[in-house]
Amino acid sequence: MLQIKSRKLINLRTLYRPTQPTIKAENRDISYLEIQPDPYIEKFIYCFWQLKTKLPLGVPYTYRVVSDGCIDIFFSAKKSAENFVMGFCRKYTEFSIGKEFNYIGIRFLPSAFPILFGIDARSLSNQSQELIKILPELSQWISTAFNPSCSFENVTNRLNERFKQIIQQKPVNPDQRFLKALSLIFDKKGFLDLENDIDTGLSPRQLRRVFNHFIGTSPKAFCNVVRFQHILNAKPSKESLKENRFYLDVGFFDQAHFIKDFKNFYGVTPSQAFS
């Protein structure tokens, strides 16, 4: 049954790679790791991630999360009762997370969280909330399933099994017109005419409504994030940005427009990000 229902959900991970900045070399006492989920749940979850200190830091660390179009659940490995959900963000977000930490997260592919849990993504956008207020049963399970001695691998194994159970218990019936629109946006790297290039049977008003529900923002705002993520995945250097100016290929009018949007999504200029 699950396999039949899951065929209705496009495997978005083949179309889109939501990327977060890597930890810079000078931060050698901090590690960031990603583990891919079990193939059984990969249409919903892009990765499990861990951000942790290897040694206590001299000063509190500020972690920057850039716009990626995803919804994340995250919790402290040392105190898993502290678990949260973070919705779609229109701009970068910074967190001061102290001198010693070990956070583990679940990054859902765009639209997967609302499809799986029936939550309106708009209620989560541009904020972090306690998971117990959104999904109390899952929050309570996370609170009791892990202890501070669990390895990241052990945690992800348990998360894989838990989400297999969740998916088995819930029907997956996404709006195919919405999924087709989402696929077109990914295929065009976010650079398309929303009025004319998305012919899925949804009117512009309907398209805005379903995007607000499943993504947490308008189609236009989501396209801007997809363009930004396309540039991140290209991993340009400062030199190649100046010479090739490939940001023009995805609809930025000029360098000033590109820099302004990039800084909004990343928190620093392209030159600083790719130095």
Side-chain angles (χ1 to χ4, degrees):
M1 287 292 292
L2 173 65
Q3 291 179 347
I4 293 173
K5 292 174 181 174
S6 290
R7 289 197 190 106
K8 296 179 182 179
L9 185 63
I10 298 168
N11 194 346
L12 297 178
R13 66 184 306 113
T14 64
L15 305 174
Y16 184 59
R17 181 184 176 189
T19 298
Q20 289 293 323
T22 56
I23 299 299
K24 293 187 176 181
E26 60 264 28
N27 295 318
R28 58 183 179 275
D29 293 329
I30 303 172
S31 69
Y32 175 80
L33 299 172
E34 291 183 359
I35 292 180
Q36 288 195 354
D38 187 285
Y40 199 68
I41 62 174
E42 67 176 1
K43 290 184 179 180
F44 296 89
I45 294 173
Y46 178 72
C47 72
F48 302 114
W49 56 262
Q50 180 189 48
L51 177 71
K52 66 174 292 188
T53 46
K54 301 174 186 176
L55 296 170
L57 307 176
V59 295
Y61 183 68
T62 298
Y63 182 60
R64 181 187 296 120
V65 179
V66 306
S67 300
D68 62 10
C70 298
I71 293 174
D72 282 48
I73 289 174
F74 63 98
F75 56 92
S76 168
K78 293 186 176 182
K79 193 176 181 181
S80 58
E82 297 179 354
N83 48 71
F84 307 88
V85 58
M86 186 169 184
F88 172 91
C89 290
R90 281 180 171 267
K91 60 176 294 183
Y92 76 95
T93 306
E94 290 186 334
F95 298 92
S96 180
I97 53 178
K99 299 179 182 180
E100 193 171 4
F101 46 83
N102 184 357
Y103 283 102
I104 292 173
I106 307 157
R107 183 170 303 142
F108 293 85
L109 285 157
S111 77
F113 187 93
I115 288 172
L116 189 55
F117 295 112
I119 304 293
D120 188 334
R122 288 174 298 184
S123 66
L124 306 175
S125 292
N126 303 304
Q127 60 184 309
S128 174
Q129 299 185 50
E130 293 179 344
L131 183 61
I132 196 167
K133 296 178 180 178
I134 310 300
L135 296 171
E137 184 178 342
L138 181 57
S139 174
Q140 291 289 355
W141 178 82
I142 291 174
S143 297
T144 58
F146 312 111
N147 61 64
S149 64
C150 287
S151 67
F152 184 34
E153 183 178 6
N154 184 261
V155 171
T156 57
N157 287 339
R158 294 187 191 183
L159 288 171
N160 273 315
E161 293 305 312
R162 179 64 178 180
F163 278 96
K164 285 180 187 178
Q165 294 172 5
I166 290 172
I167 293 169
Q168 287 172 346
Q169 294 167 1
K170 296 193 177 185
V172 178
N173 297 302
D175 187 319
Q176 295 301 307
R177 298 169 301 173
F178 162 73
L179 292 180
K180 183 178 178 182
L182 200 59
S183 298
L184 286 169
I185 288 172
F186 289 143
D187 183 59
K188 298 294 185 179
K189 311 297 187 295
F191 179 38
L192 72 172
D193 182 341
L194 291 169
E195 296 287 341
N196 299 310
D197 294 344
I198 296 184
D199 183 15
T200 64
L202 290 169
S203 69
R205 183 176 179 180
Q206 290 173 320
L207 191 66
R208 286 193 298 272
R209 180 178 59 80
V210 295
F211 264 79
N212 274 312
H213 177 78
F214 288 111
I215 301 295
T217 193
S218 68
K220 181 179 179 180
F222 183 68
C223 283
N224 289 338
V225 171
V226 172
R227 290 195 299 169
F228 162 72
Q229 282 286 323
H230 170 64
I231 290 168
L232 276 192
N233 277 284
K235 298 179 180 178
S237 64
K238 287 195 299 183
E239 292 72 22
S240 65
L241 280 173
K242 291 178 181 178
E243 293 173 4
N244 299 332
R245 299 195 299 171
F246 71 93
Y247 50 82
L248 298 175
D249 297 334
V250 288
F252 289 101
F253 302 126
D254 51 36
Q255 186 180 45
H257 177 214
F258 164 62
I259 291 173
K260 180 181 178 181
D261 270 26
F262 188 96
K263 190 173 182 180
N264 179 64
F265 292 131
Y266 199 109
V268 298
T269 65
S271 294
Q272 291 170 310
F274 299 123
S275 60

